[in-house]
Amino acid sequence: MISHTSSSRPPAAAPAPTVIVVDDDEALREALSSLFRSVGLRVELYGSAAELLAAKPPAAPRCLVLDIRLPGVSGLDFQAQIAASPMNMPIIFMTGHGDIPMTVRAMKAGAVDFLTKPFRDQDMLDAVTTALEHDRRQSEANKAATDIRDLYQSLTAREKEVMALVTSGLMNKQVAAQINLSEITVKIHRGHVMRKMNAKSLADLVRMAETLGLGITKA
Protein backbone atom coordinates (compact mmCIF):
# COMPACT_ATOMS: atom_id res chain seq x y z
CA MET A 1 0.00 0.00 0.00
CA ILE A 2 1.41 3.40 -1.00
CA SER A 3 1.39 6.10 1.61
CA HIS A 4 0.63 9.57 0.23
CA THR A 5 2.25 12.42 2.11
CA SER A 6 2.44 16.14 1.40
CA SER A 7 6.23 15.93 1.05
CA SER A 8 6.00 13.38 -1.77
CA ARG A 9 3.19 15.11 -3.65
CA PRO A 10 4.46 16.76 -6.85
CA PRO A 11 3.84 20.50 -7.24
CA ALA A 12 0.60 21.43 -8.95
CA ALA A 13 0.98 22.00 -12.67
CA ALA A 14 0.40 25.52 -13.93
CA PRO A 15 -3.03 25.97 -15.54
CA ALA A 16 -2.89 25.43 -19.30
CA PRO A 17 -3.18 28.54 -21.49
CA THR A 18 -6.75 28.76 -22.74
CA VAL A 19 -8.23 30.08 -25.97
CA ILE A 20 -11.90 31.03 -25.76
CA VAL A 21 -13.75 31.03 -29.07
CA VAL A 22 -17.07 32.83 -29.51
CA ASP A 23 -18.70 32.36 -32.92
CA ASP A 24 -22.18 31.30 -33.97
CA ASP A 25 -20.73 29.10 -36.75
CA GLU A 26 -20.37 25.66 -35.19
CA ALA A 27 -18.17 24.33 -38.01
CA LEU A 28 -15.72 27.20 -37.56
CA ARG A 29 -15.71 26.74 -33.78
CA GLU A 30 -14.78 23.08 -34.16
CA ALA A 31 -12.12 23.84 -36.78
CA LEU A 32 -10.50 26.40 -34.51
CA SER A 33 -10.71 24.00 -31.58
CA SER A 34 -8.79 21.37 -33.56
CA LEU A 35 -6.20 23.96 -34.61
CA PHE A 36 -5.54 25.21 -31.09
CA ARG A 37 -5.53 21.76 -29.51
CA SER A 38 -2.98 20.63 -32.12
CA VAL A 39 -0.45 22.99 -30.52
CA GLY A 40 -1.29 22.00 -26.95
CA LEU A 41 -3.70 24.78 -26.01
CA ARG A 42 -6.86 24.33 -23.96
CA VAL A 43 -10.02 25.52 -25.74
CA GLU A 44 -13.47 26.68 -24.63
CA LEU A 45 -16.19 27.11 -27.27
CA TYR A 46 -19.29 29.33 -27.08
CA GLY A 47 -21.97 30.10 -29.65
CA SER A 48 -22.86 33.53 -28.25
CA ALA A 49 -21.67 36.33 -26.01
CA ALA A 50 -24.36 35.47 -23.46
CA GLU A 51 -23.00 31.92 -23.08
CA LEU A 52 -19.54 33.24 -22.32
CA LEU A 53 -20.78 35.82 -19.82
CA ALA A 54 -22.60 33.05 -17.94
CA ALA A 55 -19.39 31.00 -17.66
CA LYS A 56 -16.55 31.24 -15.17
CA PRO A 57 -13.33 32.54 -16.77
CA PRO A 58 -10.34 30.16 -16.57
CA ALA A 59 -7.67 30.94 -13.98
CA ALA A 60 -4.89 30.74 -16.56
CA PRO A 61 -3.38 32.84 -19.35
CA ARG A 62 -6.29 33.29 -21.72
CA CYS A 63 -7.44 35.12 -24.80
CA LEU A 64 -10.68 35.52 -26.69
CA VAL A 65 -11.16 34.76 -30.39
CA LEU A 66 -14.34 36.64 -31.22
CA ASP A 67 -16.49 37.02 -34.32
CA ILE A 68 -17.23 40.69 -34.97
CA ARG A 69 -20.85 39.89 -35.85
CA LEU A 70 -22.67 37.97 -33.15
CA PRO A 71 -26.35 37.29 -32.46
CA GLY A 72 -27.73 39.72 -29.92
CA VAL A 73 -24.70 41.98 -29.55
CA SER A 74 -21.95 43.23 -31.86
CA GLY A 75 -18.43 42.06 -31.23
CA LEU A 76 -17.32 45.65 -30.67
CA ASP A 77 -19.99 46.26 -28.03
CA PHE A 78 -19.06 42.96 -26.40
CA GLN A 79 -15.41 44.07 -26.40
CA ALA A 80 -16.43 47.04 -24.27
CA GLN A 81 -18.40 44.79 -21.89
CA ILE A 82 -15.44 42.43 -21.49
CA ALA A 83 -13.00 45.29 -20.85
CA ALA A 84 -15.18 46.55 -17.98
CA SER A 85 -15.59 43.12 -16.36
CA PRO A 86 -13.43 40.72 -14.32
CA MET A 87 -13.34 38.56 -17.46
CA ASN A 88 -11.19 41.14 -19.26
CA MET A 89 -8.68 39.47 -21.60
CA PRO A 90 -6.89 40.10 -24.92
CA ILE A 91 -9.19 39.81 -27.94
CA ILE A 92 -8.58 38.64 -31.51
CA PHE A 93 -11.41 39.60 -33.85
CA MET A 94 -12.56 37.58 -36.85
CA THR A 95 -14.73 39.01 -39.60
CA GLY A 96 -16.02 37.95 -42.97
CA HIS A 97 -16.55 41.59 -43.87
CA GLY A 98 -13.37 43.64 -44.12
CA ASP A 99 -14.26 47.05 -42.68
CA ILE A 100 -11.46 49.56 -42.07
CA PRO A 101 -13.36 51.84 -39.62
CA MET A 102 -14.45 48.76 -37.65
CA THR A 103 -10.87 47.49 -37.57
CA VAL A 104 -9.56 50.85 -36.37
CA ARG A 105 -12.17 51.01 -33.61
CA ALA A 106 -11.36 47.48 -32.43
CA MET A 107 -7.61 48.09 -32.39
CA LYS A 108 -7.96 51.42 -30.57
CA ALA A 109 -10.02 49.62 -27.92
CA GLY A 110 -7.16 47.19 -27.35
CA ALA A 111 -7.74 44.27 -29.72
CA VAL A 112 -4.61 42.23 -30.39
CA ASP A 113 -5.47 41.51 -34.03
CA PHE A 114 -8.26 41.67 -36.58
CA LEU A 115 -8.32 38.74 -39.02
CA THR A 116 -10.49 38.61 -42.13
CA LYS A 117 -11.99 35.22 -43.03
CA PRO A 118 -10.64 33.09 -44.57
CA PHE A 119 -7.39 33.53 -42.64
CA ARG A 120 -4.29 31.36 -42.59
CA ASP A 121 -3.95 28.97 -39.66
CA GLN A 122 -0.48 30.37 -38.92
CA ASP A 123 -1.81 33.94 -38.77
CA MET A 124 -4.35 32.87 -36.17
CA LEU A 125 -1.76 30.91 -34.16
CA ASP A 126 0.63 33.88 -34.23
CA ALA A 127 -2.12 36.20 -33.00
CA VAL A 128 -3.09 33.80 -30.21
CA THR A 129 0.54 33.42 -29.11
CA THR A 130 0.86 37.20 -28.86
CA ALA A 131 -2.43 37.52 -26.98
CA LEU A 132 -1.61 34.80 -24.44
CA GLU A 133 1.80 36.34 -23.73
CA HIS A 134 0.15 39.74 -23.26
CA ASP A 135 -2.32 38.24 -20.78
CA ARG A 136 0.46 36.43 -18.90
CA ARG A 137 2.46 39.65 -18.52
CA GLN A 138 -0.63 41.58 -17.42
CA SER A 139 -1.47 38.93 -14.81
CA GLU A 140 2.08 39.11 -13.45
CA ALA A 141 1.88 42.92 -13.28
CA ASN A 142 -1.48 42.75 -11.49
CA LYS A 143 -0.09 40.27 -8.94
CA ALA A 144 2.97 42.46 -8.34
CA ALA A 145 0.73 45.49 -7.77
CA THR A 146 -1.42 43.52 -5.32
CA ASP A 147 1.70 42.41 -3.43
CA ILE A 148 2.88 46.03 -3.20
CA ARG A 149 -0.51 47.16 -1.87
CA ASP A 150 -0.41 44.39 0.76
CA LEU A 151 3.07 45.47 1.88
CA TYR A 152 1.95 49.11 2.01
CA GLN A 153 -0.88 48.20 4.36
CA SER A 154 1.70 46.84 6.81
CA LEU A 155 3.11 50.37 7.30
CA THR A 156 2.04 52.61 10.17
CA ALA A 157 0.35 55.91 9.36
CA ARG A 158 3.60 57.76 10.07
CA GLU A 159 5.60 55.40 7.85
CA LYS A 160 3.12 55.94 5.01
CA GLU A 161 3.54 59.69 5.45
CA VAL A 162 7.33 59.41 5.35
CA MET A 163 7.21 57.13 2.31
CA ALA A 164 5.05 59.60 0.40
CA LEU A 165 7.33 62.52 1.19
CA VAL A 166 10.60 60.68 0.56
CA THR A 167 9.42 59.33 -2.78
CA SER A 168 8.26 62.81 -3.81
CA GLY A 169 11.92 63.86 -3.86
CA LEU A 170 12.36 65.45 -0.43
CA MET A 171 15.54 64.87 1.55
CA ASN A 172 15.38 63.57 5.12
CA LYS A 173 15.98 67.08 6.51
CA GLN A 174 13.09 68.48 4.45
CA VAL A 175 10.77 65.66 5.48
CA ALA A 176 11.68 66.25 9.13
CA ALA A 177 10.85 69.95 8.87
CA GLN A 178 7.54 69.29 7.11
CA ILE A 179 6.19 66.81 9.67
CA ASN A 180 7.91 68.25 12.77
CA LEU A 181 10.19 65.32 13.54
CA SER A 182 13.93 65.11 14.09
CA GLU A 183 16.02 64.05 11.12
CA ILE A 184 17.21 60.93 12.94
CA THR A 185 13.59 59.89 13.58
CA VAL A 186 12.80 60.34 9.87
CA LYS A 187 15.81 58.14 9.02
CA ILE A 188 14.50 55.45 11.37
CA HIS A 189 11.02 55.57 9.81
CA ARG A 190 12.57 55.53 6.34
CA GLY A 191 14.57 52.42 7.26
CA HIS A 192 11.41 50.71 8.50
CA VAL A 193 9.63 51.61 5.24
CA MET A 194 12.46 50.22 3.11
CA ARG A 195 12.48 46.97 5.09
CA LYS A 196 8.70 46.45 5.20
CA MET A 197 8.29 47.27 1.49
CA ASN A 198 11.21 44.99 0.53
CA ALA A 199 12.70 47.93 -1.37
CA LYS A 200 16.34 47.49 -2.39
CA SER A 201 16.90 51.17 -3.19
CA LEU A 202 15.16 54.55 -3.18
CA ALA A 203 14.49 54.13 -6.91
CA ASP A 204 12.77 50.83 -6.11
CA LEU A 205 10.63 52.58 -3.48
CA VAL A 206 9.73 55.36 -5.93
CA ARG A 207 8.48 52.78 -8.45
CA MET A 208 6.34 51.23 -5.71
CA ALA A 209 4.92 54.65 -4.84
CA GLU A 210 3.99 55.17 -8.50
CA THR A 211 2.22 51.79 -8.52
CA LEU A 212 0.33 52.82 -5.40
CA GLY A 213 -0.58 56.15 -6.99
CA LEU A 214 0.69 58.19 -4.07
CA GLY A 215 1.12 61.06 -6.52
CA ILE A 216 2.94 63.52 -4.27
CA THR A 217 5.36 65.81 -6.06
CA LYS A 218 7.91 68.19 -4.65
CA ALA A 219 6.66 71.75 -4.47
Side-chain angles (χ1 to χ4, degrees):
M1 181 174 179
I2 300 174
S3 174
H4 296 283
T5 65
S6 57
S7 60
S8 63
R9 186 176 302 159
T18 301
V19 183
I20 299 170
V21 179
V22 180
D23 195 300
D24 60 351
D25 183 336
E26 183 177 1
L28 179 59
R29 291 199 305 271
E30 293 300 332
L32 287 172
S33 177
S34 295
L35 174 65
F36 298 140
R37 291 179 191 281
S38 74
V39 293
L41 296 172
R42 183 173 174 274
V43 185
E44 294 183 6
L45 305 176
Y46 300 96
S48 68
E51 289 179 20
L52 174 57
L53 289 175
K56 181 180 180 181
R62 64 204 185 194
C63 70
L64 176 60
V65 176
L66 179 65
D67 194 300
I68 200 73
R69 298 179 187 274
L70 292 170
V73 61
S74 78
L76 292 174
D77 289 341
F78 188 51
Q79 180 185 26
Q81 290 180 33
I82 287 286
S85 76
M87 199 177 281
N88 188 24
M89 69 188 87
I91 296 177
I92 299 157
F93 277 110
M94 303 177 291
T95 179
H97 313 272
D99 185 322
I100 292 176
M102 191 182 291
T103 303
V104 170
R105 181 181 163 191
M107 299 303 282
K108 281 186 175 181
V112 172
D113 212 334
F114 199 103
L115 302 178
T116 302
K117 302 172 186 176
F119 43 77
R120 296 189 314 128
D121 287 354
Q122 192 59 52
D123 289 341
M124 175 59 80
L125 290 175
D126 289 346
V128 163
T129 298
T130 298
L132 289 172
E133 177 60 20
H134 174 82
D135 191 63
R136 184 189 64 78
R137 290 197 304 266
Q138 187 60 53
S139 295
E140 289 177 352
N142 291 344
K143 182 182 184 304
T146 297
D147 290 345
I148 289 171
R149 286 192 290 270
D150 289 345
L151 292 172
Y152 182 69
Q153 291 307 314
S154 73
L155 303 182
T156 65
R158 179 65 84 185
E159 288 165 352
K160 290 177 181 178
E161 186 177 24
V162 169
M163 177 177 172
L165 293 170
V166 166
T167 56
S168 75
L170 297 182
M171 295 183 294
N172 290 340
K173 184 183 295 185
Q174 294 170 306
V175 174
Q178 185 156 330
I179 58 179
N180 297 316
L181 291 177
S182 68
E183 187 174 352
I184 188 64
T185 301
V186 169
K187 287 181 179 179
I188 291 171
H189 284 309
R190 178 171 171 168
H192 290 165
V193 169
M194 295 291 287
R195 178 177 56 80
K196 289 183 178 181
M197 294 299 296
N198 293 331
K200 298 179 177 61
S201 65
L202 177 58
D204 201 12
L205 193 65
V206 168
R207 284 190 290 271
M208 292 178 179
E210 290 173 349
T211 297
L212 292 165
L214 297 186
I216 296 179
T217 56
K218 185 177 177 181

